[in-house]
Amino acid sequence: MEWPSYLEEYEKLVIRMTTPRVMIDNAGCANATRVMIDSARKHGILLEAVQVLTDLNLSIKKAYVSSDGRWFMDVFHVTDLNGNKLTDESVINYIEQSLGTIDYAKSKSPEGLTALELTGTDRVGLLSEVFAVLSDLQCNVVESKVWTHNGRIASLIYVKDCDSGFPIEDSQKIDRIEARLRNVLKGDNDIRSAKTSVSMAVTHTERRLHQMMFADRDYERKPIIKTSNDSPVVGVQNCIERGYSVVNIHCKDRMKLLFDVVCTLTDMQYVVFHGTLTTTGDRAYLEFFIRHADGTPISSEAEKQRVILCLIAAIERRASEGVRLELCTEDRAGLLADVTRTFRENGLNVTRSEISTTKGTALNVFYVTDAAGNLPDSVTIEDVRNKIGLNNLRVKELPLIYHQKGERDEGPTVGVGGAMLLSLGSIVRRNLYNLGLIRSYS
């Protein structure tokens, strides 16, 4: 059967109609760049937009999301890590091109490497044992991210063969890697829940870490060590007359907060129809109007509690307490095994890490506490630095964005359910105002 000749032109018209329209404005806001997106609504499109911005390490200070029928309108107020507007044309062009494509859910994870996925019970020195095994098996760690939460650990480690420099495809070697890492993760008391897998699959690393910890049900576990009293406050209630469930979140602001929340809602098969993010000082206030993918709101008290627990876990996973140590040195075989062994021998526990290698240079970040979950004393930190190299391992101050005051022109707009303080109508009007389509949203 031959397709009609006009079909190609029709498909082009559909593509043009459904391709997101992106506008970037540096004039409309005094202290942030506005990124505005109009697009056809589809499941996951909000996450894709937020993912593009957070992968560039941009700080989202405000966000407004609303949908009308089959269309989405999103507005994000973003800055760089120093709290400045975006002025680099290459960054602006990248945002426009990435957000302006139909399928821009590109994975931010290394290609051409073997991916190791690990979950299990966390303990002091576990990461040291993992890297020691990989070093012994001639696996070169190129990139890795490690999260810990509620006594659990999840890690994605990207490796290649030390000898060949290529991905590991030998099935017998893969079996050895899985078996030895599983034994390390099991320890003495984790026989059932330790999991390892080896694949060539490419996925967004941080989204995958959320999925791994969600599958591990870390949200149901009680924290072994409580290192902070500043826990997120999450509330869920139904807006019966409009057929939505309303999610309210009040927590400490930090980088990639919006990504973590939207990622979790999306992977739990909820659709965000309207929402806001507002930051004031170091606090963040978020409100979302959601439904299931089938269009229904949350139906039971048990489901509400599950959403609350899952969102709290999503916020806490990346908010690891501890001293931030940055290692910058020439990469070599066994480097990570040696460094993490030094941490272990000095009683330091790695609560989160980000490991990367660029042109033969290791650029690694570790968040460390003592065995009790408290900040380690300065003497211990200096001893570790002396052993690893004072010029190689440094105590890193947080970026300026963490210390800056938030925009003061608006106070918190979210309450638990907000008594609908931020109604659907006000969200839409506010978005139209930010797009310059109306003069006032009051």
Side-chain angles (χ1 to χ4, degrees):
M1 175 181 177
E2 186 176 353
W3 292 103
S5 59
Y6 63 80
L7 182 60
E8 184 178 354
E9 292 303 317
Y10 174 76
E11 288 179 341
K12 289 180 181 178
L13 175 62
V14 172
I15 290 172
R16 284 196 296 269
M17 291 177 62
T18 58
T19 297
R21 185 166 65 102
V22 182
M23 295 172 286
I24 298 180
D25 171 33
N26 263 323
C29 182
N31 47 16
T33 298
R34 291 193 304 177
V35 178
M36 296 163 280
I37 309 165
D38 286 328
S39 64
R41 179 166 61 82
K42 68 173 184 178
H43 184 58
I45 195 168
L46 174 60
L47 174 60
E48 294 170 359
V50 174
Q51 179 178 304
V52 168
L53 299 176
T54 54
D55 281 350
L56 290 169
N57 283 325
L58 301 180
S59 176
I60 301 176
K61 307 310 296 179
K62 291 183 181 179
Y64 311 103
V65 178
S66 72
S67 61
D68 181 11
R70 296 182 178 272
W71 297 93
F72 253 135
M73 180 167 59
D74 308 331
V75 181
F76 304 97
H77 290 216
V78 302
T79 68
D80 62 20
L81 285 178
N82 293 318
N84 301 319
K85 292 183 178 182
L86 309 185
T87 56
D88 188 327
E89 286 298 324
S90 63
V91 173
I92 292 174
N93 290 336
Y94 177 82
I95 293 173
E96 290 176 334
Q97 293 172 8
S98 298
L99 294 178
T101 56
I102 292 179
D103 184 13
Y104 48 81
K106 300 175 182 178
S107 61
K108 190 190 179 187
S109 57
E111 297 184 21
L113 299 171
T114 302
L116 311 179
E117 296 186 356
L118 316 176
T119 56
T121 299
D122 187 29
R123 65 178 185 274
V124 176
L126 176 58
L127 204 57
S128 170
E129 298 176 45
V130 168
F131 288 136
V133 166
L134 294 176
S135 177
D136 185 55
L137 292 172
Q138 299 300 300
C139 298
N140 181 26
V141 178
V142 179
E143 290 197 22
S144 173
K145 285 185 185 291
V146 178
W147 289 358
T148 63
H149 180 244
N150 284 354
R152 306 299 295 170
I153 185 171
S155 177
L156 265 170
I157 305 175
Y158 297 94
V159 300
K160 61 184 178 182
D161 186 84
C162 282
D163 296 327
S164 68
F166 290 104
I168 301 168
E169 298 178 336
D170 185 316
S171 60
Q172 291 184 342
K173 184 169 183 176
I174 288 176
D175 289 342
R176 288 197 302 272
I177 292 171
E178 286 189 310
R180 289 192 57 180
L181 288 177
R182 194 176 300 114
N183 286 334
V184 168
L185 288 164
K186 283 179 181 178
D188 297 326
N189 58 359
D190 199 19
I191 297 175
R192 294 183 180 177
S193 61
K195 295 179 182 178
T196 64
S197 66
V198 179
S199 72
M200 300 297 295
V202 178
T203 187
H204 188 276
T205 301
E206 294 174 349
R207 183 174 185 184
R208 183 60 187 147
L209 283 170
H210 276 301
Q211 292 171 342
M212 290 164 62
M213 299 207 91
F214 176 76
D216 193 45
R217 305 175 78 92
D218 68 317
Y219 56 89
E220 291 183 343
R221 304 173 187 269
K222 298 294 183 183
I224 297 174
I225 300 171
K226 190 69 174 178
T227 57
S228 173
N229 293 321
D230 192 8
S231 299
V233 177
V234 180
V236 178
Q237 68 178 38
N238 280 344
C239 176
I240 299 175
E241 62 272 21
R242 296 186 181 272
Y244 292 105
S245 295
V246 186
V247 176
N248 293 110
I249 302 171
H250 174 204
C251 63
K252 187 174 182 179
D253 188 27
R254 61 165 174 78
M255 291 293 295
K256 302 190 178 182
L257 173 64
L258 185 59
F259 171 84
D260 294 337
V261 171
V262 173
C263 178
T264 299
L265 290 173
T266 302
D267 284 338
M268 294 180 73
Q269 298 302 306
Y270 294 108
V271 179
V272 176
F273 286 84
H274 306 276
T276 61
L277 161 69
T278 302
T279 58
T280 303
D282 67 344
R283 311 306 299 176
Y285 306 85
L286 302 91
E287 185 163 44
F288 300 99
F289 291 77
I290 67 171
R291 291 174 180 156
H292 289 107
D294 65 4
T296 60
I298 292 173
S299 59
S300 69
E301 186 61 31
E303 185 183 357
K304 287 183 182 179
Q305 292 306 312
R306 184 169 180 265
V307 170
I308 291 171
L309 290 175
C310 289
L311 288 176
I312 290 174
I315 295 167
E316 291 180 340
R317 287 169 192 150
R318 203 197 294 266
S320 303
E321 300 290 332
V323 173
R324 177 184 169 109
L325 300 178
E326 292 193 354
L327 175 70
C328 180
T329 187
E330 182 180 353
D331 191 30
R332 59 173 174 80
L335 173 65
L336 287 169
D338 292 342
V339 169
T340 51
R341 184 181 66 248
T342 302
F343 290 162
R344 183 191 68 203
E345 291 172 348
N346 287 268
L348 296 182
N349 185 42
V350 179
T351 60
R352 185 160 60 94
S353 72
E354 298 181 8
I355 293 160
S356 62
T357 307
T358 303
K359 296 180 179 179
T361 300
L363 304 169
N364 304 332
V365 176
F366 303 94
Y367 291 83
V368 298
T369 66
D370 64 17
N374 302 313
L375 293 179
D377 60 73
S378 58
V379 174
T380 301
I381 294 295
E382 288 308 300
D383 284 347
V384 170
R385 291 187 62 218
N386 277 313
K387 292 173 182 176
I388 295 175
L390 290 173
N391 292 328
N392 298 333
L393 187 67
R394 302 193 178 189
V395 180
K396 182 67 175 179
E397 291 292 332
L398 292 174
L400 178 62
I401 197 68
Y402 287 95
H403 303 293
Q404 281 196 327
K405 296 289 186 182
E407 298 176 59
R408 297 177 180 273
D409 55 340
E410 292 184 39
T413 55
V414 176
V416 179
M420 304 309 163
L421 289 176
L422 202 56
S423 68
L424 298 181
S426 70
I427 295 175
V428 174
R429 289 196 299 274
R430 188 190 295 261
N431 285 342
L432 293 174
Y433 170 79
N434 279 280
L435 289 172
L437 299 179
I438 59 175
R439 294 185 178 181
S440 173
Y441 60 79
S442 59

